[in-house]
Amino acid sequence: MKIRVLGSSAGGGFPQWNCNCRNCDGVRRGTVAARARTESSITVTDNGEDWLLVNASPDVLAQIAANTELQPARQVRDTGIAAVVTMDAQIDHVTGLLMLRERGTPLPLYTTNAVWQDLSTGFPITSILSHYCGVEHRRIALDGASFSVPELPRVTIDALPLSSKAPPYSPHREAPEVGDNIGLMFTNSATGKRAFYAPGLGALDAHVLDAMREADLLLVDGTV
Ligand SMILES: [Zn+2]
């Protein structure tokens, strides 16, 4: 199992386009010791060629361009992105789906029911994509069972519900549902090593802390 961090900033990226705080202004001018960062997203692979994209940020095209492993160039039209999982329905994690519309086949997309509902109604990206490549929905059940992506057979994935509100455009914004936001534990079944990813983490609930203790690698929301 290999994980590549495509982006690690909060929504809007760093520097934010309209921000002149000390850090954003400083990174533009080169007066602070910091690097510009794109919005949070990782990719996970088993064989080094087929990747699961975890969140599709508005920066996804720049992220693909900066990570040439995601373009194996096996034929004229090709991508290393075998499937996508979106952990919530927030703009910074789903808008990049629109940038992947030129696929030749429906995009395999893993989401919970709550996220799928938002992406079919309040922010109807799946309806829009149906006029392009289309989406093949693969449901994340949150029933405690692990799942895996066919192209990553030795990567076991466990989804944990996280407490947070659905986006402002969600029909159930004021009535939070289990699955509005999830964390993901990736286990390398060849070595047993685990990585926990939660780029949007509102609260350190007991089951989240338990998962974090089990992980060898934590990639979590630093603002929590
Ligand atoms: Zn700023």
Short mmCIF file of all heavy atoms in Angstrom, two decimals, residues 73-132:
data_model
loop_
_atom_site.label_atom_id
_atom_site.label_comp_id
_atom_site.label_asym_id
_atom_site.label_seq_id
_atom_site.Cartn_x
_atom_site.Cartn_y
_atom_site.Cartn_z
N ALA A 73 -0.44 6.42 -18.67
CA ALA A 73 -0.28 6.53 -20.14
C ALA A 73 -0.21 5.17 -20.83
O ALA A 73 0.66 4.92 -21.65
CB ALA A 73 0.95 7.39 -20.46
N ARG A 74 -1.16 4.30 -20.52
CA ARG A 74 -1.21 2.97 -21.15
C ARG A 74 -1.89 3.02 -22.50
O ARG A 74 -1.78 2.10 -23.30
CB ARG A 74 -1.95 2.00 -20.20
CG ARG A 74 -1.21 1.75 -18.90
CD ARG A 74 -2.11 1.15 -17.83
NE ARG A 74 -3.15 2.09 -17.40
CZ ARG A 74 -3.82 1.99 -16.25
NH1 ARG A 74 -3.56 1.00 -15.41
NH2 ARG A 74 -4.74 2.87 -15.93
N GLN A 75 -2.65 4.09 -22.75
CA GLN A 75 -3.31 4.28 -24.03
C GLN A 75 -3.58 5.77 -24.21
O GLN A 75 -3.30 6.57 -23.32
CB GLN A 75 -4.60 3.47 -24.10
CG GLN A 75 -5.51 3.67 -22.89
CD GLN A 75 -6.62 2.64 -22.82
OE1 GLN A 75 -7.16 2.25 -23.84
NE2 GLN A 75 -6.96 2.21 -21.62
N VAL A 76 -4.14 6.15 -25.37
CA VAL A 76 -4.29 7.57 -25.67
C VAL A 76 -5.13 8.27 -24.59
O VAL A 76 -4.78 9.34 -24.11
CB VAL A 76 -4.93 7.77 -27.07
CG1 VAL A 76 -5.23 9.25 -27.30
CG2 VAL A 76 -3.99 7.26 -28.14
N ARG A 77 -6.26 7.66 -24.23
CA ARG A 77 -7.08 8.20 -23.13
C ARG A 77 -6.89 7.29 -21.94
O ARG A 77 -7.23 6.11 -21.99
CB ARG A 77 -8.56 8.20 -23.54
CG ARG A 77 -8.90 9.29 -24.54
CD ARG A 77 -9.23 10.57 -23.81
NE ARG A 77 -9.73 11.60 -24.73
CZ ARG A 77 -10.27 12.74 -24.31
NH1 ARG A 77 -10.42 12.97 -23.02
NH2 ARG A 77 -10.69 13.64 -25.18
N ASP A 78 -6.36 7.82 -20.86
CA ASP A 78 -6.07 6.95 -19.72
C ASP A 78 -6.02 7.76 -18.44
O ASP A 78 -5.84 8.99 -18.46
CB ASP A 78 -4.71 6.24 -19.94
CG ASP A 78 -4.55 5.02 -19.04
OD1 ASP A 78 -5.55 4.56 -18.46
OD2 ASP A 78 -3.41 4.53 -18.92
N THR A 79 -6.18 7.08 -17.31
CA THR A 79 -5.99 7.68 -16.00
C THR A 79 -5.62 6.58 -15.03
O THR A 79 -6.03 5.43 -15.19
CB THR A 79 -7.27 8.38 -15.50
OG1 THR A 79 -7.02 8.87 -14.16
CG2 THR A 79 -8.46 7.44 -15.45
N GLY A 80 -4.84 6.96 -14.01
CA GLY A 80 -4.55 6.01 -12.95
C GLY A 80 -5.62 6.01 -11.87
O GLY A 80 -5.59 5.20 -10.95
N ILE A 81 -6.57 6.95 -11.97
CA ILE A 81 -7.62 7.04 -10.95
C ILE A 81 -8.69 5.98 -11.26
O ILE A 81 -9.49 6.15 -12.18
CB ILE A 81 -8.23 8.45 -10.90
CG1 ILE A 81 -7.15 9.46 -10.52
CG2 ILE A 81 -9.40 8.50 -9.92
CD1 ILE A 81 -7.59 10.92 -10.67
N ALA A 82 -8.66 4.91 -10.50
CA ALA A 82 -9.58 3.80 -10.74
C ALA A 82 -10.95 4.08 -10.13
O ALA A 82 -11.97 3.61 -10.66
CB ALA A 82 -9.00 2.52 -10.14
N ALA A 83 -10.97 4.82 -9.04
CA ALA A 83 -12.23 5.10 -8.35
C ALA A 83 -12.00 6.30 -7.43
O ALA A 83 -10.87 6.69 -7.16
CB ALA A 83 -12.68 3.90 -7.52
N VAL A 84 -13.12 6.88 -6.96
CA VAL A 84 -13.06 8.03 -6.07
C VAL A 84 -13.94 7.73 -4.85
O VAL A 84 -14.99 7.10 -4.98
CB VAL A 84 -13.59 9.31 -6.78
CG1 VAL A 84 -13.49 10.53 -5.85
CG2 VAL A 84 -12.83 9.57 -8.08
N VAL A 85 -13.50 8.20 -3.69
CA VAL A 85 -14.37 8.21 -2.53
C VAL A 85 -14.45 9.65 -2.03
O VAL A 85 -13.43 10.33 -1.97
CB VAL A 85 -13.87 7.25 -1.41
CG1 VAL A 85 -12.43 7.49 -1.03
CG2 VAL A 85 -14.76 7.35 -0.17
N THR A 86 -15.66 10.12 -1.77
CA THR A 86 -15.80 11.45 -1.17
C THR A 86 -16.31 11.25 0.26
O THR A 86 -17.31 10.58 0.49
CB THR A 86 -16.74 12.37 -1.97
OG1 THR A 86 -18.01 11.75 -2.11
CG2 THR A 86 -16.17 12.64 -3.35
N MET A 87 -15.60 11.87 1.21
CA MET A 87 -15.86 11.61 2.63
C MET A 87 -16.98 12.45 3.19
O MET A 87 -17.49 12.20 4.27
CB MET A 87 -14.57 11.85 3.42
CG MET A 87 -13.42 11.01 2.86
SD MET A 87 -11.83 11.40 3.61
CE MET A 87 -12.02 10.62 5.21
N ASP A 88 -17.33 13.51 2.47
CA ASP A 88 -18.47 14.34 2.82
C ASP A 88 -18.93 14.98 1.51
O ASP A 88 -18.42 14.62 0.45
CB ASP A 88 -18.10 15.39 3.89
CG ASP A 88 -16.91 16.25 3.48
OD1 ASP A 88 -16.85 16.66 2.30
OD2 ASP A 88 -16.03 16.49 4.32
N ALA A 89 -19.88 15.90 1.58
CA ALA A 89 -20.39 16.53 0.35
C ALA A 89 -19.97 17.99 0.27
O ALA A 89 -20.61 18.79 -0.42
CB ALA A 89 -21.92 16.40 0.29
N GLN A 90 -18.90 18.36 0.98
CA GLN A 90 -18.44 19.75 0.99
C GLN A 90 -17.81 20.14 -0.35
O GLN A 90 -17.17 19.31 -1.01
CB GLN A 90 -17.40 19.96 2.11
CG GLN A 90 -17.91 19.63 3.51
CD GLN A 90 -18.84 20.68 4.09
OE1 GLN A 90 -18.98 21.78 3.54
NE2 GLN A 90 -19.50 20.35 5.18
N ILE A 91 -17.94 21.40 -0.71
CA ILE A 91 -17.41 21.92 -1.97
C ILE A 91 -15.95 21.52 -2.17
O ILE A 91 -15.55 21.10 -3.26
CB ILE A 91 -17.55 23.46 -2.00
CG1 ILE A 91 -19.01 23.85 -2.28
CG2 ILE A 91 -16.63 24.09 -3.06
CD1 ILE A 91 -19.29 25.34 -2.18
N ASP A 92 -15.15 21.64 -1.11
CA ASP A 92 -13.71 21.38 -1.28
C ASP A 92 -13.38 19.90 -1.45
O ASP A 92 -12.23 19.56 -1.73
CB ASP A 92 -12.89 22.01 -0.14
CG ASP A 92 -13.44 21.70 1.23
OD1 ASP A 92 -14.66 21.55 1.37
OD2 ASP A 92 -12.65 21.60 2.18
N HIS A 93 -14.37 19.02 -1.30
CA HIS A 93 -14.10 17.59 -1.47
C HIS A 93 -14.83 16.95 -2.64
O HIS A 93 -14.61 15.77 -2.94
CB HIS A 93 -14.44 16.84 -0.18
CG HIS A 93 -13.45 17.10 0.93
ND1 HIS A 93 -13.75 16.97 2.26
CD2 HIS A 93 -12.15 17.52 0.87
CE1 HIS A 93 -12.69 17.27 2.99
NE2 HIS A 93 -11.71 17.62 2.16
N VAL A 94 -15.74 17.68 -3.27
CA VAL A 94 -16.53 17.05 -4.35
C VAL A 94 -16.48 17.81 -5.67
O VAL A 94 -16.78 17.21 -6.72
CB VAL A 94 -18.01 16.86 -3.94
CG1 VAL A 94 -18.10 16.04 -2.65
CG2 VAL A 94 -18.74 18.18 -3.78
N THR A 95 -16.14 19.08 -5.66
CA THR A 95 -16.23 19.88 -6.89
C THR A 95 -15.32 19.32 -7.99
O THR A 95 -15.63 19.42 -9.18
CB THR A 95 -15.87 21.35 -6.60
OG1 THR A 95 -16.69 21.78 -5.51
CG2 THR A 95 -16.16 22.24 -7.78
N GLY A 96 -14.20 18.72 -7.59
CA GLY A 96 -13.28 18.14 -8.57
C GLY A 96 -13.88 17.01 -9.38
O GLY A 96 -13.36 16.66 -10.44
N LEU A 97 -14.98 16.44 -8.91
CA LEU A 97 -15.65 15.38 -9.70
C LEU A 97 -16.03 15.91 -11.09
O LEU A 97 -15.97 15.20 -12.08
CB LEU A 97 -16.90 14.88 -8.98
CG LEU A 97 -16.67 14.13 -7.66
CD1 LEU A 97 -18.01 13.89 -6.95
CD2 LEU A 97 -15.96 12.80 -7.92
N LEU A 98 -16.42 17.20 -11.13
CA LEU A 98 -16.82 17.80 -12.41
C LEU A 98 -15.64 17.85 -13.38
O LEU A 98 -15.81 17.80 -14.60
CB LEU A 98 -17.37 19.21 -12.20
CG LEU A 98 -18.67 19.30 -11.39
CD1 LEU A 98 -18.99 20.75 -11.06
CD2 LEU A 98 -19.82 18.65 -12.15
N MET A 99 -14.42 17.98 -12.84
CA MET A 99 -13.22 18.07 -13.68
C MET A 99 -12.84 16.70 -14.27
O MET A 99 -11.99 16.63 -15.16
CB MET A 99 -12.04 18.60 -12.86
CG MET A 99 -11.96 20.10 -12.79
SD MET A 99 -13.26 20.83 -11.78
CE MET A 99 -14.05 21.86 -13.00
N LEU A 100 -13.45 15.63 -13.78
CA LEU A 100 -13.11 14.28 -14.25
C LEU A 100 -14.13 13.78 -15.28
O LEU A 100 -14.18 12.61 -15.59
CB LEU A 100 -13.03 13.32 -13.06
CG LEU A 100 -12.08 13.76 -11.93
CD1 LEU A 100 -12.13 12.76 -10.78
CD2 LEU A 100 -10.66 13.92 -12.44
N ARG A 101 -14.94 14.71 -15.82
CA ARG A 101 -16.09 14.32 -16.64
C ARG A 101 -15.72 13.69 -17.98
O ARG A 101 -16.54 13.04 -18.61
CB ARG A 101 -16.98 15.54 -16.90
CG ARG A 101 -16.31 16.63 -17.74
CD ARG A 101 -17.14 17.90 -17.74
NE ARG A 101 -16.51 18.98 -18.49
CZ ARG A 101 -15.54 19.76 -18.00
NH1 ARG A 101 -15.10 19.57 -16.79
NH2 ARG A 101 -15.02 20.72 -18.74
N GLU A 102 -14.47 13.87 -18.45
CA GLU A 102 -14.09 13.34 -19.76
C GLU A 102 -13.79 11.84 -19.75
O GLU A 102 -13.41 11.29 -20.78
CB GLU A 102 -12.88 14.09 -20.32
CG GLU A 102 -13.11 15.57 -20.59
CD GLU A 102 -12.78 16.45 -19.41
OE1 GLU A 102 -12.49 15.92 -18.32
OE2 GLU A 102 -12.83 17.69 -19.56
N ARG A 103 -13.94 11.21 -18.60
CA ARG A 103 -13.72 9.75 -18.56
C ARG A 103 -14.53 9.06 -19.65
O ARG A 103 -15.63 9.49 -20.00
CB ARG A 103 -14.21 9.19 -17.22
CG ARG A 103 -13.23 9.21 -16.10
CD ARG A 103 -13.89 8.60 -14.89
NE ARG A 103 -14.02 7.15 -15.04
CZ ARG A 103 -13.15 6.27 -14.55
NH1 ARG A 103 -12.12 6.68 -13.88
NH2 ARG A 103 -13.34 4.98 -14.74
N GLY A 104 -14.03 7.92 -20.10
CA GLY A 104 -14.75 7.16 -21.11
C GLY A 104 -15.80 6.23 -20.53
O GLY A 104 -16.69 5.75 -21.23
N THR A 105 -15.68 5.97 -19.24
CA THR A 105 -16.62 5.06 -18.58
C THR A 105 -17.14 5.73 -17.31
O THR A 105 -16.51 6.66 -16.80
CB THR A 105 -15.92 3.74 -18.18
OG1 THR A 105 -14.76 4.07 -17.38
CG2 THR A 105 -15.45 2.98 -19.42
N PRO A 106 -18.30 5.29 -16.81
CA PRO A 106 -18.83 5.89 -15.58
C PRO A 106 -17.81 5.86 -14.45
O PRO A 106 -17.08 4.89 -14.28
CB PRO A 106 -20.05 5.04 -15.27
CG PRO A 106 -20.49 4.52 -16.61
CD PRO A 106 -19.21 4.28 -17.37
N LEU A 107 -17.78 6.95 -13.69
CA LEU A 107 -16.81 7.10 -12.60
C LEU A 107 -17.27 6.31 -11.38
O LEU A 107 -18.33 6.60 -10.83
CB LEU A 107 -16.68 8.58 -12.24
CG LEU A 107 -15.75 8.95 -11.10
CD1 LEU A 107 -14.29 8.70 -11.48
CD2 LEU A 107 -15.95 10.41 -10.70
N PRO A 108 -16.50 5.32 -10.95
CA PRO A 108 -16.88 4.61 -9.72
C PRO A 108 -16.72 5.56 -8.52
O PRO A 108 -15.63 6.09 -8.30
CB PRO A 108 -15.88 3.45 -9.64
CG PRO A 108 -15.34 3.30 -11.03
CD PRO A 108 -15.32 4.70 -11.58
N LEU A 109 -17.80 5.77 -7.78
CA LEU A 109 -17.79 6.76 -6.70
C LEU A 109 -18.34 6.13 -5.42
O LEU A 109 -19.51 5.73 -5.36
CB LEU A 109 -18.64 7.97 -7.08
CG LEU A 109 -18.78 9.07 -6.03
CD1 LEU A 109 -17.43 9.70 -5.70
CD2 LEU A 109 -19.77 10.15 -6.48
N TYR A 110 -17.50 6.08 -4.41
CA TYR A 110 -17.88 5.54 -3.11
C TYR A 110 -18.34 6.69 -2.22
O TYR A 110 -17.59 7.64 -1.99
CB TYR A 110 -16.69 4.84 -2.44
CG TYR A 110 -16.26 3.56 -3.11
CD1 TYR A 110 -15.47 3.59 -4.25
CD2 TYR A 110 -16.64 2.33 -2.61
CE1 TYR A 110 -15.06 2.41 -4.88
CE2 TYR A 110 -16.25 1.14 -3.21
CZ TYR A 110 -15.46 1.19 -4.36
OH TYR A 110 -15.08 0.03 -4.96
N THR A 111 -19.56 6.59 -1.70
CA THR A 111 -20.06 7.57 -0.72
C THR A 111 -21.03 6.87 0.23
O THR A 111 -21.56 5.80 -0.07
CB THR A 111 -20.85 8.74 -1.37
OG1 THR A 111 -22.17 8.27 -1.73
CG2 THR A 111 -20.17 9.31 -2.59
N THR A 112 -21.29 7.53 1.35
CA THR A 112 -22.39 7.08 2.21
C THR A 112 -23.72 7.51 1.57
O THR A 112 -23.75 8.33 0.64
CB THR A 112 -22.29 7.74 3.59
OG1 THR A 112 -22.40 9.16 3.42
CG2 THR A 112 -20.98 7.41 4.28
N ASN A 113 -24.80 6.99 2.10
CA ASN A 113 -26.12 7.40 1.60
C ASN A 113 -26.36 8.89 1.80
O ASN A 113 -26.93 9.56 0.94
CB ASN A 113 -27.23 6.62 2.34
CG ASN A 113 -27.48 5.27 1.71
OD1 ASN A 113 -27.08 5.02 0.58
ND2 ASN A 113 -28.14 4.40 2.46
N ALA A 114 -25.91 9.43 2.97
CA ALA A 114 -26.15 10.84 3.27
C ALA A 114 -25.45 11.73 2.25
O ALA A 114 -26.02 12.72 1.76
CB ALA A 114 -25.68 11.16 4.69
N VAL A 115 -24.20 11.39 1.91
CA VAL A 115 -23.45 12.18 0.93
C VAL A 115 -24.06 12.03 -0.46
O VAL A 115 -24.21 13.00 -1.21
CB VAL A 115 -21.96 11.78 0.94
CG1 VAL A 115 -21.22 12.37 -0.25
CG2 VAL A 115 -21.31 12.21 2.25
N TRP A 116 -24.45 10.82 -0.80
CA TRP A 116 -25.08 10.60 -2.11
C TRP A 116 -26.35 11.43 -2.26
O TRP A 116 -26.60 12.01 -3.31
CB TRP A 116 -25.39 9.11 -2.29
CG TRP A 116 -25.98 8.80 -3.63
CD1 TRP A 116 -27.28 8.49 -3.90
CD2 TRP A 116 -25.29 8.79 -4.89
NE1 TRP A 116 -27.46 8.30 -5.25
CE2 TRP A 116 -26.25 8.47 -5.89
CE3 TRP A 116 -23.97 9.03 -5.27
CZ2 TRP A 116 -25.91 8.38 -7.24
CZ3 TRP A 116 -23.65 8.94 -6.62
CH2 TRP A 116 -24.62 8.61 -7.57
N GLN A 117 -27.11 11.53 -1.18
CA GLN A 117 -28.34 12.34 -1.21
C GLN A 117 -28.00 13.79 -1.52
O GLN A 117 -28.63 14.42 -2.38
CB GLN A 117 -29.04 12.23 0.15
CG GLN A 117 -30.39 12.93 0.20
CD GLN A 117 -30.93 13.01 1.62
OE1 GLN A 117 -30.48 12.33 2.53
NE2 GLN A 117 -31.91 13.87 1.82
N ASP A 118 -26.99 14.34 -0.85
CA ASP A 118 -26.60 15.74 -1.10
C ASP A 118 -26.10 15.93 -2.53
O ASP A 118 -26.39 16.96 -3.16
CB ASP A 118 -25.51 16.18 -0.12
CG ASP A 118 -26.03 16.32 1.30
OD1 ASP A 118 -27.27 16.30 1.48
OD2 ASP A 118 -25.21 16.44 2.22
N LEU A 119 -25.36 14.97 -3.04
CA LEU A 119 -24.80 15.09 -4.39
C LEU A 119 -25.84 14.81 -5.47
O LEU A 119 -25.56 14.96 -6.66
CB LEU A 119 -23.60 14.14 -4.56
CG LEU A 119 -22.41 14.39 -3.63
CD1 LEU A 119 -21.25 13.47 -3.97
CD2 LEU A 119 -21.98 15.85 -3.67
N SER A 120 -27.03 14.40 -5.06
CA SER A 120 -28.12 14.18 -6.01
C SER A 120 -29.18 15.27 -5.92
O SER A 120 -30.08 15.33 -6.74
CB SER A 120 -28.79 12.83 -5.73
OG SER A 120 -27.84 11.79 -5.69
N THR A 121 -29.08 16.14 -4.87
CA THR A 121 -30.13 17.14 -4.66
C THR A 121 -29.55 18.54 -4.48
O THR A 121 -29.49 19.32 -5.42
CB THR A 121 -30.99 16.77 -3.43
OG1 THR A 121 -30.15 16.60 -2.29
CG2 THR A 121 -31.78 15.49 -3.67
N GLY A 122 -29.07 18.86 -3.26
CA GLY A 122 -28.61 20.21 -2.95
C GLY A 122 -27.45 20.67 -3.83
O GLY A 122 -27.35 21.84 -4.19
N PHE A 123 -26.57 19.77 -4.18
CA PHE A 123 -25.42 20.04 -5.05
C PHE A 123 -25.38 18.89 -6.06
O PHE A 123 -24.61 17.95 -5.90
CB PHE A 123 -24.13 20.10 -4.22
CG PHE A 123 -22.93 20.65 -4.95
CD1 PHE A 123 -23.01 21.19 -6.22
CD2 PHE A 123 -21.68 20.64 -4.31
CE1 PHE A 123 -21.89 21.70 -6.86
CE2 PHE A 123 -20.54 21.15 -4.95
CZ PHE A 123 -20.65 21.67 -6.23
N PRO A 124 -26.24 18.97 -7.10
CA PRO A 124 -26.53 17.77 -7.92
C PRO A 124 -25.44 17.41 -8.93
O PRO A 124 -25.68 17.26 -10.13
CB PRO A 124 -27.83 18.14 -8.61
CG PRO A 124 -27.78 19.63 -8.72
CD PRO A 124 -27.03 20.12 -7.51
N ILE A 125 -24.25 17.22 -8.43
CA ILE A 125 -23.11 16.88 -9.29
C ILE A 125 -23.36 15.57 -10.04
O ILE A 125 -22.99 15.45 -11.21
CB ILE A 125 -21.83 16.78 -8.42
CG1 ILE A 125 -21.30 18.18 -8.14
CG2 ILE A 125 -20.77 15.93 -9.09
CD1 ILE A 125 -20.01 18.18 -7.36
N THR A 126 -24.00 14.63 -9.39
CA THR A 126 -24.20 13.33 -10.07
C THR A 126 -25.17 13.48 -11.23
O THR A 126 -25.00 12.82 -12.27
CB THR A 126 -24.71 12.27 -9.08
OG1 THR A 126 -25.95 12.72 -8.52
CG2 THR A 126 -23.70 12.03 -7.97
N SER A 127 -26.16 14.37 -11.10
CA SER A 127 -27.08 14.62 -12.22
C SER A 127 -26.34 15.29 -13.37
O SER A 127 -26.54 14.94 -14.54
CB SER A 127 -28.23 15.52 -11.78
OG SER A 127 -28.81 15.03 -10.60
N ILE A 128 -25.48 16.24 -13.04
CA ILE A 128 -24.71 16.92 -14.10
C ILE A 128 -23.80 15.93 -14.80
O ILE A 128 -23.73 15.88 -16.03
CB ILE A 128 -23.90 18.09 -13.48
CG1 ILE A 128 -24.86 19.16 -12.93
CG2 ILE A 128 -22.97 18.71 -14.53
CD1 ILE A 128 -24.18 20.20 -12.05
N LEU A 129 -23.12 15.10 -14.03
CA LEU A 129 -22.18 14.14 -14.63
C LEU A 129 -22.89 13.09 -15.48
O LEU A 129 -22.27 12.48 -16.35
CB LEU A 129 -21.34 13.46 -13.54
CG LEU A 129 -20.23 14.30 -12.94
CD1 LEU A 129 -19.55 13.55 -11.80
CD2 LEU A 129 -19.20 14.69 -14.00
N SER A 130 -24.19 12.90 -15.23
CA SER A 130 -24.91 11.91 -16.05
C SER A 130 -24.96 12.34 -17.51
O SER A 130 -25.19 11.51 -18.39
CB SER A 130 -26.34 11.71 -15.50
OG SER A 130 -27.13 12.86 -15.77
N HIS A 131 -24.70 13.62 -17.78
CA HIS A 131 -24.65 14.10 -19.17
C HIS A 131 -23.24 13.95 -19.77
O HIS A 131 -23.03 14.28 -20.93
CB HIS A 131 -25.09 15.57 -19.24
CG HIS A 131 -26.49 15.78 -18.76
ND1 HIS A 131 -27.60 15.52 -19.54
CD2 HIS A 131 -26.96 16.17 -17.55
CE1 HIS A 131 -28.69 15.77 -18.84
NE2 HIS A 131 -28.35 16.16 -17.64
N TYR A 132 -22.30 13.50 -18.95
CA TYR A 132 -20.91 13.29 -19.41
C TYR A 132 -20.57 11.82 -19.18
O TYR A 132 -21.16 10.95 -19.79
CB TYR A 132 -19.96 14.25 -18.69
CG TYR A 132 -20.32 15.71 -18.96
CD1 TYR A 132 -21.20 16.40 -18.13
CD2 TYR A 132 -19.81 16.37 -20.07
CE1 TYR A 132 -21.54 17.72 -18.39
CE2 TYR A 132 -20.15 17.69 -20.34
CZ TYR A 132 -21.02 18.36 -19.49
OH TYR A 132 -21.36 19.66 -19.76
#
